[in-house]
Amino acid sequence: MESIVFINGKVKYQITLDPGVWIFDDRKIEIDTYFSEEKTERSGDEEYTATAARHWQKEIQEGATLPPTLKTERKFEKQRLLSGTFVIPFHPFLKNAEPEENASGVTVTAGGKEHHFTMEEASNFLLGFSIDGKPIKDGGPLYIYFGDGTNRNQPIRDVISFTVK
């Protein structure tokens, strides 16, 4: 099993994806959280405002937390990382590869087959990289989930590459 997955084809920059380091990425989302939350589009400013509001609300309700009491938060976060099932959106990676203007879709090579998707469909992929706090070994290094959750129980497995066509 190769642990690196490629984005290549009609792109300005070929990208290598290493799911082993995504556990440290702030864009990771617990899969249950992603599929249970109501989806709303937010701009960067709206997202920042919502995050700041949650932080202030927490301080109002619980009081300001000083560094010695952050140990419990770190312990909780560590436990979440060791037991959670995480995905990361594919869109930022595809955007960073800078597909050519005439790119029409993405071909995913997985499990010895080629799966063809439009650019819009591929932009909505979620890449699963951790199950119960462990890297995906069986059928890994990553799974592809559709953004609408239709293949949540049967993700695309054994992904080798994403080729922009």
Side-chain angles (χ1 to χ4, degrees), residues 3 7 10 22 24 29 37 44 68 73 83-84 87 93 100 104 112 130 133 136-137 139 152 159:
S3 63
I7 300 177
K10 290 185 175 184
W22 292 345
F24 304 108
I29 308 163
E37 285 184 349
E73 286 185 31
S83 62
V87 296
F93 300 114
E100 295 176 8
S104 61
S130 168
I136 297 174
K137 299 285 185 202
R152 182 171 179 191
V159 178

Side-chain angles (χ1 to χ4, degrees), residues 18-158:
D18 182 358
V21 299
W22 292 345
I23 198 70
F24 304 108
D25 196 308
D26 290 339
R27 296 172 292 187
K28 70 182 173 297
I29 308 163
E30 281 189 280
I31 194 166
D32 292 333
T33 302
Y34 180 85
F35 288 117
S36 66
E37 285 184 349
E38 186 176 317
K39 307 293 181 278
T40 57
E41 292 294 320
R42 291 185 182 177
S43 70
D45 289 341
E46 289 174 323
E47 189 63 36
Y48 172 78
T49 303
T51 303
R54 281 192 301 273
H55 174 75
W56 283 106
Q57 187 64 29
K58 178 182 175 196
E59 284 199 3
I60 289 169
Q61 290 176 339
E62 300 173 13
T65 55
L66 301 174
T69 61
L70 291 177
K71 288 180 183 179
T72 55
E73 286 185 31
R74 275 188 253 137
K75 184 178 178 182
F76 174 76
E77 179 64 15
K78 181 178 177 182
Q79 183 59 34
R80 187 175 76 91
L81 293 176
L82 292 174
S83 62
T85 298
F86 293 97
V87 296
I88 193 165
F90 179 61
H91 178 73
F93 300 114
L94 186 59
K95 183 179 174 187
N96 287 341
E98 294 188 22
E100 295 176 8
E101 286 187 32
N102 63 348
S104 61
V106 175
T107 298
V108 175
T109 305
K113 299 177 184 174
E114 290 188 345
H115 307 267
H116 304 283
F117 301 95
T118 66
M119 293 297 284
E120 184 178 345
E121 289 170 329
S123 290
N124 291 317
F125 286 168
L126 295 170
L127 306 179
F129 64 92
S130 168
I131 296 177
D132 297 331
K134 298 182 178 37
I136 297 174
K137 299 285 185 202
D138 182 33
L142 60 85
Y143 293 168
I144 297 175
Y145 297 95
F146 302 144
D148 62 5
T150 55
N151 73 332
R152 182 171 179 191
N153 295 324
Q154 294 181 327
I156 298 173
R157 302 162 50 110
D158 297 307

